[in-house]
Amino acid sequence: MSRRYDHARVQEYWQQAWERDGVFECPTDAEDPTYVLGMFPYTSGSLHMGHIRNYAITDAYARYRRMAGDDVLHPMGWDAFGLPAENAAYERDTDPESWTRTCIDQMKDDLREMGFGYDWSREITTCDPEYYQWNQWLFTQFYDEGLVDYGAATVNWCPDCETVLADAQVETPPEADDGGTTANTGHSHTHGSGVCWRCGTAVEQRDLDQWFFAITDYAEELYHGLDELEGWPDGVRDSQRNWIGRQEGARVSFTVGHDDHEAVEAFTTRLDTVYGATYLALSPGHDLARALAETDDDIAEYVESVANTDDAGMSGVETDLTATHPYTGEELPVYVAAYVLDDVGTGAVMGVPAHNEQDHDFADKHDLPVEQAVEPVDGSGTDLPHAPYTGDGMLTSSGEYDGLASSAARERLREDEAAESTVTYRLRDWLISRQRYWGTPIPIVHCDDCGHVPVPEEDLPVELPDYVQTTGNPLDAAEEWKQTPCPDCGADAVRETDTMDTFVDSSWYFLRYLSPHFESAPFDQATADEWLPVDVYVGGEEHAVLHLLYIRFFARALSDIGLLDREEPVERLINQGTVLHGGEKMSKSKGNDIAPHEYGAETTRLFVLSAAHPSQDFEWTVKDVSTAYDFQQTLYRLVTEYTDRTETRTESTDHDAYLEREIDRTIAAVTEEYDRFRFHRVIGEIQRFARLLGRYAGYDRPYQFAYGRGLRVLAGLVAPIAPFLAEEMWQLLDEDGLVAESRWPEPLRDVDDYRIERQVVRRTLDDVREITEVVDIDEPNEIELVVAADWKYRAYEIARESDPDDAIVGEIMADEEIKQHGDTAAEFADRLAGRGAGLEPIIDGERELDTLQQAAWLFEDEFGCDVVVRRATPDDDLAAKARPNKPAIHIS
């Protein structure tokens, strides 16, 4: 038998064994299975290390819960539509579908080789007509419910990809990201001049007719629903709150007297500063700014110049209009200014330089007056006019409102007809139109007489025509496919040639996994209502305001339509960190990527799970990877040496009891860490346990029952993380069936205090080491460990349970048994009172004695001498030094 473990030699065998037994298939009649889901991969051609880390996390947890007795749903599918496939096909002179199918085959082989256990009977692929027909069906349902809009819009356009991008798909180039925010809104913003998130090309602005999902109808629900997502990282929830951008404030109406715009409404969260307004500013995209640009060349030139730049700063252009201040009647200049954002508030702000940083910067640049309207209540003064005062305070120079506190003034000012309480959102409707081929065709027919007509359900899916390379939108060039009769009147009409944003595909895919072959609806509602929400969802934090917001919108929309009885689709969300190499994220473009299989599947799995908490980034280092490889060999060698061994014992001693107890403690610790997704600590516990087993086997002939059980437990605990290795260990131990289908190890005895027991042993060992070093004892003859008297444990618990403000010494000395020990007890009570709330939980004296007696062999093995463990006696010289869970130590 080889003493060296080689996963490549056995992986095919165990893959076939798992598939033969249907280990990973979730029964259709399962009652509320544990739903474990990793964000499905885009079909890019091969797995990268980010995929491996994501799927190692979900696979380990799914395997653990399955062994713990749960029915587990752990599916996998393919996010198969999208522009990158179209680009790749163009570069390789092929078609997107052929390229995509080839990628899927490769990636599926990669997943299998890594040992990930999926229910492949539920596999979905978003480019299959059997899948995307339900994208189209859901579109028509949303259309009927008024959740779909069509209209002209200024959109982000990538000239290289030749498609529209959502705002969230426009990234600020690193050199332009100065971290600036808009003080009136609290949001960073890209002025249409960011870069495409896919190709990095500078984004342009275009006016096009587009299709939208009315996600803004759910802005309030999506915002407040975040409070209920306690299993989600705070960072994701904060990102969504910021993206939704809910703000309570007031609309203030300024009369401007333009022919088409009699008044302009400005949104403010600081109505108390209204008397400090010295100008009105419009965003370059404001309707009035556009109207003025039609007749004013200076404004037109300015609007055009800032449309495609992030460097507009505090630039602006003054118009010929003036705005009447609704509270003072004063005439204020009107500017078009790039720092005012189209998509926040009303696209217009009242400029209050005295109390807003950006307004102050703008006023300083354009020589506008700074007029104070609020002053600090404590009389501390301000640095006006040189710097704004942005805090609340008391109104000044504000007419009849002088002397009011800011909060009271905001309420009073709203009573004037010039202001109206309102809530605004930064969130805008979801633009789903894409001018590309490789996506779900939008199921609309354009008829000259009937207008926009949804394709009837019986005619779905509208399948993509054969791919032909062309510039622009290939569907627009597919004339034969495009021409179709109107479903309503039968007249000649044309199909919509836009395809859907691929985020539509991924906004409900987790529902299709529940009933992937259901033919009468996207999913079986009864199953969805029972099996949702997803118990654990793992993926990158970069999806916080795209995918993760869209799945929440879909769930709520489906609930309102009556197709789902769940409003939040995911209970617990885990964002995995990044795998770094050379201090940077692994990337083919940077040339620092590592092929997942380069170091072997299980070595890679062990390393990515052991290196850090799942949410943390970590550095890929060859040394640490080597440690993961060596760890596998250690586990394998423990089992082979045991199975080759002929000498074991059938009678137990104290040190066997220690091993049995440590087996229980390890099971408890590892189980807790699996539940908390702290796989790095799981592996740390298993490594510690393996070292103990090796030490135990070298100390004496192993007790057959305890040691054999320890190795079986070891195989079970490591099975979710290193499944091929665990199966080999299980087979060598002559266990029945598959370890993947075995029951999760359970302690034989109560282990509630396992941490304290371990701490007692660990701390006592440290104390003995320290004494031998300080006193310079190389070869001690005997180590004596003296456990404290019972009354000290009683005094300790009285102190722990007492209120820190109580007379703790008095409470302790009121105990008749303790009081008998006189001054010794009083001194001990005083010491306890001094520690106050810092008293940690302890085990009782009898448990401490048993624990140290069982652990005595560890001291004997390390220090090579006799060890005596006993209780303190009344006339004992060491009794005074012994404290609860900290025995007195005498070394001779």
Side-chain angles (χ1 to χ4, degrees):
M1 181 188 302
S2 172
R3 293 285 180 89
R4 180 179 172 275
Y5 170 65
D6 179 6
H7 93 275
R9 178 178 56 83
V10 300
Q11 69 179 35
E12 189 66 28
Y13 175 83
W14 293 117
Q15 286 165 347
Q16 291 178 1
W18 295 332
E19 291 169 6
R20 178 197 67 217
D21 287 12
V23 171
F24 309 118
E25 292 185 9
C26 181
T28 56
D29 59 351
E31 294 185 9
D32 191 19
T34 298
Y35 192 172
V36 183
L37 185 62
M39 293 182 184
F40 67 167
Y42 183 74
T43 50
S44 58
S46 61
L47 295 183
H48 55 66
M49 205 58 70
H51 290 132
I52 299 302
R53 194 178 189 194
N54 185 330
Y55 303 142
I57 292 169
T58 60
D59 190 56
Y61 188 72
R63 286 175 177 271
Y64 158 63
R65 291 311 314 169
R66 192 176 292 110
M67 292 175 69
D70 293 0
D71 285 321
V72 175
L73 175 61
H74 186 219
M76 178 50 70
W78 312 102
D79 189 8
F81 271 143
L83 185 60
E86 203 165 336
N87 290 344
Y90 182 83
E91 292 168 1
R92 292 162 176 80
D93 196 26
T94 184
D95 63 276
E97 181 164 10
S98 297
W99 163 252
T100 298
R101 301 291 179 186
T102 300
C103 290
I104 289 173
D105 290 343
Q106 175 61 53
M107 296 174 77
K108 191 170 183 178
D109 286 344
D110 291 346
L111 290 172
R112 231 176 139 258
E113 184 177 341
M114 292 301 298
F116 297 136
Y118 297 111
D119 184 349
W120 287 111
S121 70
R122 298 176 181 273
E123 180 181 10
I124 59 172
T125 304
T126 61
C127 67
D128 286 342
E130 293 79 14
Y131 183 88
Y132 70 72
Q133 70 168 321
W134 299 115
N135 283 348
Q136 296 171 340
W137 186 85
L138 289 168
F139 177 97
T140 62
Q141 301 303 303
F142 285 11
Y143 186 94
D144 291 342
E145 294 293 325
L147 292 175
V148 178
D149 294 320
Y150 183 77
T154 301
V155 297
N156 305 307
W157 177 265
C158 175
D160 186 61
C161 299
E162 295 184 304
T163 191
V164 169
L165 303 175
D167 285 344
Q169 294 169 315
V170 179
E171 297 180 345
T172 303
E175 64 274 12
D177 186 2
D178 60 2
T181 59
T182 300
N184 279 17
T185 65
H187 295 292
S188 60
H189 183 74
T190 303
H191 292 281
S193 63
V195 297
C196 173
W197 75 316
R198 288 290 194 194
C199 69
T201 301
V203 171
E204 300 174 354
Q205 299 292 289
R206 289 194 181 182
D207 289 334
L208 294 174
D209 288 334
Q210 302 285 287
W211 291 98
F212 298 83
F213 281 155
I215 192 173
T216 53
D217 288 4
Y218 290 87
E220 188 80 3
E221 290 184 38
L222 291 169
Y223 184 88
H224 288 296
L226 292 166
D227 295 336
E228 307 300 320
L229 298 179
E230 296 178 356
W232 286 40
D234 289 340
V236 172
R237 294 196 289 173
D238 287 344
S239 293
Q240 289 203 8
R241 285 190 186 98
N242 292 336
W243 189 254
I244 295 168
R246 185 183 189 276
Q247 287 192 314
E248 294 183 2
R251 291 176 183 261
V252 183
S253 182
F254 290 80
T255 302
V256 293
H258 185 270
D259 290 344
D260 298 323
H261 297 82
E262 182 63 28
V264 169
E265 289 188 333
F267 174 79
T268 180
T269 60
R270 291 293 308 274
L271 187 57
D272 55 314
T273 67
V274 68
Y275 276 81
T278 60
Y279 66 93
L280 182 70
L282 310 173
S283 72
H286 194 281
D287 289 344
L288 178 54
R290 290 173 179 266
L292 293 171
E294 292 178 2
T295 58
D296 189 314
D297 291 343
D298 290 340
I299 295 175
E301 182 180 347
Y302 177 75
V303 169
E304 183 178 355
S305 69
V306 300
N308 294 306
T309 180
D310 274 330
D311 301 322
M314 288 295 127
S315 66
V317 59
E318 187 173 3
T319 73
D320 292 333
L321 297 177
T322 59
T324 304
H325 194 300
Y327 289 91
T328 68
E330 295 180 17
E331 295 299 315
L332 309 181
V334 178
Y335 283 78
V336 177
Y339 84 95
V340 183
L341 308 183
D342 300 342
D343 61 352
V344 177
T346 62
V349 301
M350 60 180 199
V352 185
H355 303 294
N356 180 281
E357 291 181 0
Q358 286 196 310
D359 294 351
H360 187 276
D361 290 346
F362 187 82
D364 187 56
K365 183 175 179 65
H366 297 274
D367 198 24
L368 292 164
V370 177
E371 296 180 3
Q372 184 174 3
V374 178
E375 60 186 7
V377 175
D378 61 7
S380 58
T382 69
D383 194 24
L384 288 167
H386 306 294
Y389 171 67
T390 58
D392 279 359
M394 182 173 66
L395 267 63
T396 184
S397 301
S398 297
E400 62 184 280
Y401 304 98
D402 278 357
L404 289 176
S406 288
S407 58
R410 286 192 282 268
E411 295 299 323
R412 284 276 305 278
L413 286 159
R414 285 193 187 97
E415 296 173 4
D416 191 288
E417 63 181 12
E420 179 183 358
S421 296
T422 191
V423 176
T424 66
Y425 300 92
R426 181 178 185 265
L427 183 68
R428 291 295 177 260
D429 280 337
W430 175 8
L431 192 159
I432 67 165
S433 290
R434 297 293 181 269
Q435 291 68 45
R436 301 305 299 173
Y437 169 82
W438 195 230
T440 300
I442 293 177
I444 289 288
V445 173
H446 297 280
C447 175
D448 290 340
D449 295 328
C450 304
H452 310 309
V453 182
V455 175
E457 181 176 346
E458 60 269 19
D459 293 335
L460 298 179
V462 176
E463 294 194 37
L464 289 165
D466 291 339
Y467 177 72
V468 177
Q469 283 193 2
T470 181
T471 58
N473 183 354
L475 292 185
D476 200 37
E479 288 295 335
E480 183 177 349
W481 174 86
K482 191 167 61 171
Q483 303 302 321
T484 187
C486 171
D488 280 357
C489 70
D492 291 343
V494 294
R495 296 189 187 280
E496 172 61 63
T497 58
D498 285 353
T499 52
M500 296 186 196
D501 180 4
T502 53
F503 279 109
V504 175
D505 306 345
S506 58
S507 291
W508 67 279
Y509 79 108
F510 57 92
L511 289 162
R512 189 63 180 172
Y513 282 138
L514 307 182
S515 39
H517 309 295
F518 203 61
E519 295 184 353
S520 57
F523 52 89
D524 176 54
Q525 184 176 351
T527 302
D529 291 343
E530 181 180 354
W531 287 14
L532 287 183
V534 175
D535 292 275
V536 178
Y537 196 27
V538 180
E541 190 174 9
E542 67 271 17
H543 296 292
V545 296
L546 291 169
H547 168 63
L548 292 172
L549 185 62
Y550 295 153
I551 66 170
R552 297 183 61 227
F553 160 64
F554 254 70
R556 288 180 180 274
L558 292 171
S559 177
D560 283 352
I561 293 173
L563 297 176
L564 188 64
D565 192 25
R566 299 282 182 182
E567 292 190 337
E568 291 292 350
V570 172
E571 181 173 351
R572 185 175 187 180
L573 174 70
I574 292 177
N575 293 140
Q576 90 274 13
T578 302
V579 184
L580 306 174
H581 194 210
E584 295 184 299
K585 180 178 179 180
M586 283 191 184
S587 168
K588 289 182 180 179
S589 62
K590 295 177 181 177
N592 68 346
D593 61 315
I594 301 291
H597 313 304
E598 188 172 331
Y599 291 88
E602 276 186 316
T603 300
T604 300
R605 287 177 61 140
L606 274 168
F607 175 62
V608 299
L609 291 177
S610 66
H613 187 282
S615 64
Q616 294 176 333
D617 298 346
F618 70 87
E619 183 78 20
W620 180 280
T621 67
V622 174
K623 179 181 177 182
D624 290 338
V625 177
S626 177
T627 300
Y629 174 82
D630 292 342
F631 176 51
Q632 296 171 77
Q633 303 308 320
T634 297
L635 300 187
Y636 189 71
R637 186 170 57 252
L638 281 172
V639 174
T640 56
E641 288 178 351
Y642 172 72
T643 56
D644 290 347
R645 182 190 289 267
T646 57
E647 296 183 356
T648 57
R649 288 183 290 111
T650 57
E651 297 175 357
S652 66
T653 65
D654 277 349
H655 76 279
D656 301 322
Y658 178 83
L659 176 61
E660 292 183 89
R661 185 65 181 163
E662 189 58 28
I663 292 171
D664 288 346
R665 288 191 283 249
T666 299
I667 293 171
V670 169
T671 300
E672 184 174 317
E673 301 301 356
Y674 268 118
D675 284 333
R676 299 178 68 178
F677 283 81
R678 300 199 299 198
F679 302 107
H680 59 306
R681 294 196 177 184
V682 166
I683 295 171
E685 285 286 347
I686 295 174
Q687 289 172 328
R688 187 181 300 112
F689 184 49
R691 286 194 296 270
L692 176 68
L693 288 171
R695 186 175 177 183
Y696 171 86
Y699 179 76
D700 188 9
R701 285 182 304 149
Y703 174 42
Q704 186 174 355
F705 173 79
Y707 194 61
R709 177 180 175 238
L711 293 174
R712 290 193 299 274
V713 166
L714 186 67
L717 297 181
V718 81
I721 290 174
F724 299 130
L725 170 63
E727 294 291 1
E728 285 292 294
M729 294 167 64
W730 196 250
Q731 184 184 56
L732 289 172
L733 291 167
D734 203 25
E735 291 298 308
D736 293 333
L738 298 167
V739 70
E741 294 187 299
S742 68
R743 299 298 296 178
W744 185 248
E746 294 184 358
L748 298 181
R749 301 166 190 83
D750 174 68
V751 285
D752 288 346
D753 295 328
Y754 77 87
R755 284 194 189 86
I756 307 173
E757 293 178 10
R758 281 180 163 181
Q759 186 180 39
V760 168
V761 175
R762 190 177 301 126
R763 190 161 53 191
T764 305
L765 274 167
D766 288 342
D767 289 344
V768 172
R769 293 185 189 112
E770 183 178 359
I771 293 170
T772 57
E773 289 176 7
V774 170
V775 184
D776 196 21
I777 301 175
D778 290 333
E779 296 181 359
N781 295 321
E782 183 182 80
I783 298 172
E784 189 176 13
L785 306 178
V786 181
V787 176
D790 278 339
W791 67 267
K792 288 189 176 182
Y793 294 86
R794 183 169 177 77
Y796 191 98
E797 290 300 339
I798 292 173
R800 274 197 77 233
E801 294 170 4
S802 298
D803 190 294
D805 296 331
D806 293 345
I808 295 176
V809 174
E811 288 190 25
I812 293 173
M813 296 307 294
D815 186 286
E816 290 297 327
E817 180 184 347
I818 297 174
K819 187 165 61 176
Q820 295 176 9
H821 297 276
D823 292 344
T824 301
E827 291 174 6
F828 186 63
D830 188 59
R831 190 182 306 145
L832 292 173
R835 293 174 64 183
L839 295 173
E840 301 173 350
I842 59 171
I843 53 176
D844 62 37
E846 198 63 37
R847 178 78 68 81
E848 182 181 350
L849 180 67
D850 288 345
T851 299
L852 288 173
Q853 286 176 336
Q854 292 171 1
W857 72 278
L858 295 173
F859 294 82
E860 294 173 0
D861 186 51
E862 181 171 344
F863 298 101
C865 65
D866 293 334
V867 177
V868 174
V869 182
R870 63 177 178 83
R871 292 297 294 270
T873 58
D875 57 349
D876 198 332
D877 292 340
L878 293 175
K881 296 180 180 179
R883 303 195 302 274
N885 289 193
K886 193 159 179 67
I889 300 171
H890 179 256
I891 303 176
S892 60

